[in-house]
Amino acid sequence: MQNPIVDVTMMNAREILDRSMQQLVLFQFWSARSTGCQQLTATLSKIVQQYPKQLCLAKVDCDAEQDLAMQFGVQSLPTVMFIKEGQPVDGFAGVETEQQILQRLAAYLPKPEDDLLAKAQRQLEAGQMNAAYPLLAEALTLAPERVEIKIWLADCAISLGQLTQAEKLLAEVRLADQDTLYKTVLAKLELAQQATNTPEIQALEAQLAAAPEDKHLIEQLAVQYQAVLRSEEALALLLKILQQDLNFGQSKKLYLDILAALPKGDPLASQYRRRLYALLY
């Protein structure tokens, strides 16, 4: 990897400009006689060392390279120019804080959700859906406007059997954003939903429609729902029992087992855990 901090002279200026085709180059025009320049150098160096792949700090000593400073049109010190693909895209004169500079750089630096996405994709490639799910969920929390994260999370949820969650996520995707990936995941969801509507479930649903208050039937149907990973429907049924009788059959144990089986970060777990605590306390 190239050094992220370089001194610029007339001899290597073209080479440094060429680096701007791959990185954002921060040309800092400074003088050792200026306290503000020294302060800014420390701040810029810290930032660039945190993002060596994305940023290069190109330091121009204006006491030694006056001609170079004149070619860039520098009128005061310190001055910083952001150069991308050979063209200035931003910059500032004077001393700015680390936070101010990071705000200027936000469009050029990797976003936290992108790091989470990269980690999630590695887990997905390894078939570790349970590990990928919380990473995608956190990424979506950070960037709820990112439609592709929403679709990947839905896809992961389908693989984990969280079909209701996947259905809700896909329902939030606008028509204009329903691309090939969306259609593929939607088709996967529809197939999974068909597979989870077993004859046993259909029979129990019919019996329960005729006797809607039968707790034994409700518990049996909840068990069948969970067997095909229809967790939200199973929890809703078991909660209905517990609201009437906390000690009925195996309902409380089944409820807690389902919560424990949900992937880390699934909002369903938090939602139904709070509802149980409200009954207990």
Side-chain angles (χ1 to χ4, degrees):
M1 182 185 296
Q2 292 177 301
N3 191 334
I5 302 175
V6 294
D7 292 316
V8 187
T9 67
M10 290 293 287
M11 298 295 292
N12 68 354
R14 172 49 58 188
E15 176 187 339
I16 302 305
L17 280 171
D18 288 343
R19 284 181 66 166
S20 73
M21 303 306 292
Q22 285 79 41
Q23 296 175 291
L24 181 69
V25 179
L26 313 183
F27 273 86
Q28 181 202 4
F29 298 87
W30 68 284
S31 168
R33 295 176 286 116
S34 166
T35 302
C37 286
Q38 295 173 18
Q39 178 185 339
L40 185 60
T41 297
T43 303
L44 290 171
S45 297
K46 177 184 176 183
I47 293 171
V48 168
Q49 286 167 348
Q50 290 174 342
Y51 300 97
K53 293 182 180 179
Q54 292 80 22
L55 302 177
C56 169
L57 175 58
K59 298 166 57 182
V60 181
D61 181 352
C62 294
D63 293 328
E65 301 292 338
Q66 294 181 15
D67 290 345
L68 187 56
M70 289 177 61
Q71 286 189 22
F72 276 87
V74 175
Q75 297 181 349
S76 63
L77 297 179
T79 289
V80 179
M81 295 183 183
F82 296 179
I83 307 296
K84 182 69 174 174
E85 297 179 352
Q87 299 297 322
V89 292
D90 199 353
F92 61 92
V95 178
E96 291 197 352
T97 65
E98 181 177 352
Q99 184 178 2
Q100 289 173 318
I101 297 169
L102 285 171
Q103 287 176 343
R104 290 182 180 276
L105 293 171
Y108 308 99
L109 297 178
K111 298 176 175 60
E113 62 269 22
D114 290 328
D115 183 50
L116 290 166
L117 276 178
K119 291 178 181 177
Q121 287 171 342
R122 290 195 290 271
Q123 296 293 345
L124 290 172
E125 289 169 3
Q128 301 297 318
M129 303 299 174
N130 273 307
Y133 186 95
L135 295 171
L136 290 168
E138 186 179 351
L140 186 61
T141 299
L142 291 173
E145 74 285 354
R146 296 274 296 271
V147 177
E148 77 278 19
I149 300 178
K150 193 170 291 185
I151 297 174
W152 287 331
L153 180 58
D155 191 22
C156 189
I158 294 168
S159 298
L160 292 170
Q162 307 305 318
L163 304 187
T164 304
Q165 175 73 1
E167 187 174 17
K168 289 178 180 176
L169 287 165
L170 292 178
E172 295 171 2
V173 178
R174 298 175 304 174
L175 184 62
D177 297 319
Q178 294 178 8
D179 57 7
T180 302
L181 176 62
Y182 167 86
K183 292 174 182 176
T184 299
V185 175
L186 181 62
K188 183 177 178 180
L189 172 63
E190 291 171 348
L191 287 172
Q193 288 173 327
Q194 292 172 17
T196 59
N197 194 23
T198 65
E200 292 80 5
I201 287 176
Q202 293 178 44
L204 282 169
E205 287 175 339
Q207 293 176 50
L208 191 59
E213 300 304 319
D214 189 322
K215 295 186 183 64
H216 291 285
L217 284 176
I218 295 173
E219 189 176 80
Q220 290 175 47
L221 182 55
V223 170
Q224 290 298 318
Y225 277 157
Q226 184 57 21
V228 292
L229 298 178
R230 293 169 64 175
S231 301
E232 184 165 2
E233 292 165 284
L235 286 168
L237 287 177
L238 292 170
L239 182 64
K240 180 179 178 181
I241 294 174
L242 296 175
Q243 286 171 333
Q244 299 175 36
D245 185 351
L246 277 170
N247 298 308
F248 181 84
Q250 296 294 307
S251 292
K252 189 191 298 182
K253 181 180 184 304
L254 289 168
Y255 191 100
L256 292 171
D257 287 346
I258 294 171
L259 290 179
L262 289 170
K264 183 180 178 181
D266 192 328
L268 190 65
S270 300
Q271 176 187 348
Y272 275 90
R273 193 171 284 113
R274 286 195 301 269
R275 291 184 178 183
L276 177 61
Y277 288 165
L279 291 177
L280 294 175
Y281 306 109

